[in-house]
Amino acid sequence: MKKISGKTISRALLYIRTLEALIKEKRFMVSSGELARLTGVSDVQIRKDISKFGRVGTPRIGYKTVDLKNVLEDFVLQKDAIRLAVFGVGNLGTAIMKYPGFRREKLKIVAAFDKAKEKIGRSIDGVRIYPVEKGPAVIKKRRVDLGIIAVPEECSQEVADLMVLSGLKGIINFSPVAISAPKKVAIRDIDLSIEFLSLYCETRR
Amino acid sequence: MKKISGKTISRALLYIRTLEALIKEKRFMVSSGELARLTGVSDVQIRKDISKFGRVGTPRIGYKTVDLKNVLEDFVLQKDAIRLAVFGVGNLGTAIMKYPGFRREKLKIVAAFDKAKEKIGRSIDGVRIYPVEKGPAVIKKRRVDLGIIAVPEECSQEVADLMVLSGLKGIINFSPVAISAPKKVAIRDIDLSIEFLSLYCETRR
DNA sequence: GACTGTGAATAAGTTCACAGCT
DNA sequence: AGCTGTGAACTTATTCACAGTC
């Protein structure tokens, strides 16, 4: 499989989502220009990205929405659903569990974990909350793919260690501290404060 | 003012946060190597970044934590607090309003907006919820710097238009669709599904 | 004429290698 | 010796310019 950068993959996922919306409204053809308008990515960038996955468009006409979607999906997503586990069922953890966007995409929350006794055993939208110590067992049993850190920062490294121990291959870290893990484990940091602050800086230039 | 890239700014904000923690524990000196360990950024990258802001370290010794913090802050953040308004007080909007990380940083939520009658007039953590139509007036009156879109995707463009109209210079968009705005308005998209999906792809390579 | 696909040019970002300081 | 600071090399990402197709 050809080497494709993370940025291209992210954009491909965006194209897939957009194509799905087009297909739903029975649109069969689309041009890179229109995709550009819908996604905010430049048309050249879109053609460059697509060309990495194969030659799938027809000059003068554009792309068949269904074909393009299939080609992109073959490269980036073959699985039925990606199974997620949330650690920390506070405000952010709960919001993630209820995030409506996941339903449409192939993302499924299959377990949640918390330390607070009063939360354990309860369910949110049908997803059971387990004590953190049950992590490794539940993660294996429920075949979790990715773990989400939504705990207070004091605990995030500890939770990350538990995730690594449980064999998770990817971690999304919403806590505002760096976590360390063996480099075979992929980590994505989403640091809300930094996003806000840097956007603000951008407005002052 | 010298041109400094968005990536460098984001990292500078991370250094500032880390320096604040060090200062709080009475650490007066720090090396690029230690900052690297604490932030996850490489030491060379850190020195390169810092060098863009001035010559502030001493060879053989390292950086004075307080001085370095001041130098970085001079470039990226002079304001007292950045004032935010949240549009959409659902699960995500509420989680953002309660996000504890903002308290430490210079980020302050000063207003919230929603369409649902039953939410209007209520407060969350002392922040009043207004009807969306009051947007322009409240944004001006409360001197809001940045707007946050946490509404269902059908409404996000409409809300974005309202923000632009109200004179906001920056928008953080949590909805999974592209929004358009005059290019003088800075936009940051945070698309949770794409983050999760792309992380998953990364684990499969 | 209106699209795709792509080599070439350009720009942005990161790492290397090492000079220079104390 | 042990650190900073930085030009140079390298790598990655984006845009340009245009050939090719229907």
Side-chain angles (χ1 to χ4, degrees):
Chain A
M1 188 143 141
K2 213 195 299 176
K3 188 173 127 266
I4 288 169
S5 79
K7 290 200 171 187
T8 297
I9 301 257
S10 288
R11 286 190 302 259
L13 292 162
L14 184 59
Y15 307 152
I16 290 172
R17 173 196 290 161
T18 310
L19 289 164
E20 278 167 352
L22 289 170
I23 290 167
K24 193 169 282 172
E25 27 180 278
K26 306 268 186 274
R27 292 282 316 277
F28 298 115
M29 300 301 298
V30 72
S31 68
S32 58
E34 185 169 15
L35 272 180
R37 203 173 44 69
L38 294 169
T39 59
V41 179
S42 81
D43 61 337
V44 200
Q45 182 75 78
I46 289 174
R47 292 200 299 279
K48 251 288 199 287
D49 285 338
I50 292 174
S51 77
K52 289 180 184 147
F53 300 100
R55 210 170 301 188
V56 55
T58 14
R60 167 68 229 266
I61 307 293
Y63 304 90
K64 282 191 185 164
T65 48
V66 177
D67 289 1
L68 180 52
K69 170 170 174 270
N70 288 337
V71 168
L72 295 178
E73 280 191 333
D74 276 356
F75 270 80
V76 299
L77 278 181
Q78 44 277 57
K79 223 192 174 200
D80 275 344
I82 298 166
R83 302 167 69 86
L84 310 171
V86 181
F87 280 72
V89 189
N91 292 302
L92 187 56
T94 307
I96 290 168
M97 291 179 74
K98 297 193 168 192
Y99 185 64
F102 292 166
R103 277 189 250 287
R104 265 193 316 268
E105 320 274 347
K106 293 172 170 174
L107 293 163
K108 194 174 180 193
I109 308 226
V110 298
F113 299 91
D114 205 290
K115 269 184 177 167
K117 292 225 168 45
E118 65 275 19
K119 290 180 186 167
I120 290 165
R122 292 180 45 208
S123 292
I124 292 180
D125 288 355
V127 177
R128 181 75 170 280
I129 302 173
Y130 298 91
V132 175
E133 313 83 67
K134 289 267 171 68
V138 175
I139 285 171
K140 273 162 203 153
K141 183 146 185 212
R142 308 237 50 199
R143 306 189 319 281
V144 175
D145 298 303
L146 305 177
I148 299 163
I149 298 182
V151 297
E153 57 184 286
E154 313 83 76
C155 316
S156 45
Q157 182 60 56
E158 168 194 335
V159 167
D161 293 342
L162 192 81
M163 288 174 167
V164 173
L165 208 70
S166 312
L168 287 182
K169 293 287 180 294
I171 297 175
I172 291 128
N173 175 30
F174 281 94
S175 80
V177 289
I179 57 171
S180 61
K183 67 170 175 303
K184 61 174 182 183
V185 177
I187 295 179
R188 186 79 32 118
D189 294 302
I190 300 182
D191 189 321
L192 296 182
S193 297
I194 298 272
E195 293 293 339
F196 285 57
L197 293 167
S198 70
L199 176 67
Y200 178 73
C201 292
E202 209 171 288
T203 65
R204 310 260 112 180
R205 274 183 303 173
Chain B
M1 188 144 141
K2 213 196 299 176
K3 188 175 126 268
I4 288 170
S5 79
K7 290 201 169 187
T8 297
I9 301 256
S10 288
R11 285 190 301 259
L13 293 162
L14 185 57
Y15 308 153
I16 290 171
R17 173 195 290 161
T18 310
L19 288 164
E20 277 167 352
L22 288 171
I23 290 166
K24 193 168 282 174
E25 25 179 280
K26 305 266 185 275
R27 291 282 317 276
F28 297 116
M29 299 301 298
V30 71
S31 68
S32 58
E34 184 169 16
L35 272 180
R37 204 173 44 69
L38 293 169
T39 59
V41 179
S42 82
D43 60 338
V44 200
Q45 182 75 79
I46 289 174
R47 292 200 299 279
K48 246 306 196 271
D49 285 337
I50 292 173
S51 77
K52 289 180 183 146
F53 300 100
R55 210 170 297 188
V56 54
T58 12
R60 166 68 229 267
I61 307 294
Y63 303 91
K64 283 191 186 164
T65 49
V66 176
D67 289 1
L68 180 53
K69 169 170 175 270
N70 288 337
V71 168
L72 296 177
E73 279 190 336
D74 276 356
F75 269 79
V76 299
L77 278 179
Q78 44 276 55
K79 224 192 173 199
D80 275 344
I82 298 164
R83 302 166 69 86
L84 310 172
V86 182
F87 280 72
V89 190
N91 293 300
L92 188 56
T94 307
I96 290 167
M97 291 178 74
K98 298 193 169 196
Y99 185 64
F102 292 165
R103 277 189 250 287
R104 265 194 314 269
E105 321 272 349
K106 294 172 168 172
L107 293 163
K108 193 173 179 194
I109 308 229
V110 297
F113 300 91
D114 205 289
K115 269 183 175 166
K117 293 224 170 43
E118 64 275 20
K119 289 180 187 167
I120 291 164
R122 291 180 45 207
S123 291
I124 291 181
D125 289 357
V127 177
R128 181 75 169 282
I129 303 173
Y130 298 90
V132 175
E133 313 83 66
K134 290 265 169 68
V138 175
I139 284 171
K140 272 161 203 152
K141 184 148 186 208
R142 309 238 48 201
R143 308 190 317 283
V144 175
D145 299 302
L146 305 177
I148 299 163
I149 298 181
V151 299
E153 58 184 288
E154 313 84 74
C155 317
S156 44
Q157 182 60 55
E158 169 193 334
V159 166
D161 293 341
L162 191 81
M163 288 175 168
V164 173
L165 207 70
S166 312
L168 287 182
K169 293 287 179 293
I171 297 175
I172 292 129
N173 175 31
F174 281 94
S175 80
V177 290
I179 56 170
S180 60
K183 66 172 177 299
K184 60 175 182 181
V185 177
I187 295 178
R188 185 79 34 118
D189 294 302
I190 300 183
D191 188 321
L192 296 182
S193 299
I194 298 275
E195 293 293 340
F196 285 57
L197 292 166
S198 70
L199 176 67
Y200 178 74
C201 293
E202 209 171 287
T203 65
R204 310 259 110 181
R205 274 184 302 172

